[in-house]
Amino acid sequence: MALLEVSGLRTTFHIGVGTVQAVRGISFHVDKGEFIGIVGESGSGKSVTMLSVMGLLPQYAEVKADSIRFDGRELSQMSPRELRSLHGKEIGMIFQDPMTSLNPLFTVENQMVEPLRIHLGMSRERARLRALELLHQVEIPNPEQRLRQYPHEFSGGMRQRVMIAIAIACSPKMVIADEPTTALDVTIQAQILELLENLKREMNTSVVMITHDLGVIASMCSRILVMYGGVICEEGSVRDIFYRARHPYTWGLLNSIPRIHHDSHEKLVPIRGTPPDMLKPPEGCPFAPRCQYCMPVCRRYMAPPTDLGDGHLVHCHLMHPKAPKVERGGLQHD
Ligand code: SF4
């Protein structure tokens, strides 16, 4: 059952030199208790998509949508004040750099207790006990002492644990994690990912994980949305994306993941070219200038979604029955 249903989301930024078309008419859903991944390179629109849903973009952003339904309520009709009341209480957010999200002037206790008092009406003492419980849950040692400290007294991994504790403090229905491990080294990264997975399992919270690294989410997500140039180019289950991907951009992402079982001298295959200029996005498929299989139709029209079954959707003209038969790695030979 869908917790979040987004239909026809379009987000633009009006800046001095023109209008950036960051998200261009995307639709997707997140089921209750589901862990989904949104993958794509910088500028693909993945973070802007979720910030648009949350109403957290600056004033020069314009968000339009046919519908954004969250738990039966229409978010696109809500005032900024109503939207703010959902933040923390029903939707938690974990950002990439906890140092810029945590306030350096307040202790961790202050920053954890406030949302509990505001959203759940707890007394200071009850909120403090709950904060201790949460620090324990995210495996921070000496929670009593840690609660009294300031963010700069924590390591990067520990700060991210504090952010997670704040995000889940009010038992939200959905947590959005925006590149939560990018600034961390690989061992801490693995611990944070395990923590998120445990939280999802224990609290049945829906998690939307935004990342540029397909490898990071392979073992955790049930579904993956691949974004490029402000649109979703492919979506499906983890098996669909890793073993049955049909979009050339998804192939490019897969080819750039290092594989430990392969020859250590094997070269990674980068995706040639650069991302599109979103001030003037291509008329047709945004991946056309970088795609080795590009056909004349690709430059003029965006491909409609092709449903390959069980929610595996591909937006590519190669899915047309009359298109050349192509598979990952090159043209198919009969
Ligand atoms: Fe390549 Fe055309 Fe498919 Fe775009 S629609 S990914 S340009 S083949």
Side-chain angles (χ1 to χ4, degrees):
M1 190 182 169
L3 175 67
L4 174 70
E5 268 183 299
V6 176
S7 167
L9 177 68
R10 300 169 298 282
T11 305
T12 47
F13 292 96
H14 302 289
I15 55 173
V17 287
T19 299
V20 177
Q21 299 176 40
V23 177
R24 303 189 292 148
I26 67 167
S27 302
F28 64 96
H29 71 276
V30 182
D31 285 337
K32 283 191 175 152
E34 190 184 29
F35 199 132
I36 77 157
I38 305 184
V39 194
E41 58 196 60
S42 299
S44 58
K46 54 194 191 307
S47 296
V48 173
T49 294
M50 293 318 291
L51 290 171
S52 306
V53 168
M54 302 265 294
L56 281 177
L57 289 171
Q59 276 189 340
Y60 59 89
E62 188 180 352
V63 178
K64 288 185 179 162
D66 299 336
S67 163
I68 305 176
R69 285 193 81 72
F70 176 76
D71 203 25
R73 284 158 293 168
E74 184 55 53
L75 301 195
S76 60
Q77 310 283 319
M78 282 188 182
S79 66
R81 193 193 160 104
E82 286 171 314
L83 265 180
R84 268 199 305 277
S85 71
L86 295 179
H87 300 163
K89 190 176 176 195
E90 298 195 45
I91 307 176
M93 187 104 194
I94 303 163
F95 294 97
Q96 185 182 127
D97 182 2
M99 199 56 194
T100 53
S101 320
L102 292 169
N103 191 325
L105 302 176
F106 291 99
T107 61
V108 164
E109 176 171 345
N110 252 306
Q111 300 184 59
M112 292 189 74
V113 161
E114 273 322 286
L116 290 166
R117 298 194 70 196
I118 294 168
H119 291 306
L120 303 184
M122 287 184 177
S123 67
R124 179 160 284 281
E125 195 40 41
R126 252 197 89 207
R128 193 176 170 280
L129 288 176
R130 172 76 178 133
L132 280 173
E133 217 176 272
L134 286 160
L135 288 188
H136 184 72
Q137 195 176 350
V138 296
E139 296 165 19
I140 290 188
N142 304 323
E144 277 278 0
Q145 182 200 338
R146 287 305 207 164
L147 212 49
R148 291 191 294 272
Q149 293 182 323
Y150 289 85
H152 74 270
E153 296 175 87
F154 287 69
S155 66
M158 284 292 160
R159 275 197 293 269
Q160 199 53 291
R161 284 171 194 266
V162 171
M163 272 303 295
I164 295 174
I166 293 174
I168 61 166
C170 303
S171 308
K173 296 183 175 113
M174 182 169 81
V175 169
I176 299 167
D178 190 355
E179 307 258 13
T181 58
T182 305
L184 306 173
D185 64 50
V186 280
T187 16
I188 309 296
Q189 190 178 73
Q191 291 169 7
I192 296 290
L193 293 176
E194 196 185 331
L195 189 59
L196 282 172
E197 210 173 3
N198 289 345
L199 293 172
K200 187 233 143 209
R201 209 174 26 240
E202 287 161 16
M203 297 167 61
N204 198 32
T205 310
S206 302
V207 181
V208 179
M209 174 100 150
I210 299 165
T211 179
H212 62 272
D213 186 349
L214 253 181
V216 162
I217 49 169
S219 62
M220 308 167 66
C221 295
S222 52
R223 263 184 325 117
I224 295 176
L225 315 182
V226 181
M227 283 193 74
Y228 186 82
V231 296
I232 295 172
C233 53
E234 183 160 11
E235 67 176 281
S237 67
V238 170
R239 289 196 75 77
D240 289 335
I241 299 298
F242 276 84
Y243 300 110
R244 298 186 281 262
R246 299 296 299 275
H247 195 286
Y249 177 63
T250 314
W251 292 339
L253 285 180
L254 291 167
N255 290 340
S256 56
I257 300 175
R259 286 168 292 179
I260 52 170
H261 301 304
H262 283 231
D263 176 6
S264 59
H265 298 292
E266 184 190 41
K267 285 191 177 161
L268 295 178
V269 187
I271 303 172
R272 62 186 184 145
T274 51
D277 175 1
M278 299 310 284
L279 276 165
K280 283 190 226 109
E283 206 178 311
C285 170
F287 194 54
R290 303 172 78 182
C291 180
Q292 62 176 305
Y293 311 109
C294 180
M295 301 168 281
V297 65
C298 305
R299 296 195 183 271
R300 298 199 56 194
Y301 305 104
M302 201 101 83
T306 301
D307 190 345
L308 300 178
D310 293 327
H312 185 189
L313 298 176
V314 186
H315 298 248
C316 175
H317 287 296
L318 287 173
M319 296 297 101
H320 193 279
K322 290 189 179 157
K325 297 285 169 274
V326 162
E327 61 183 19
R328 186 176 161 193
L331 283 169
Q332 212 176 56
H333 299 290
D334 296 326

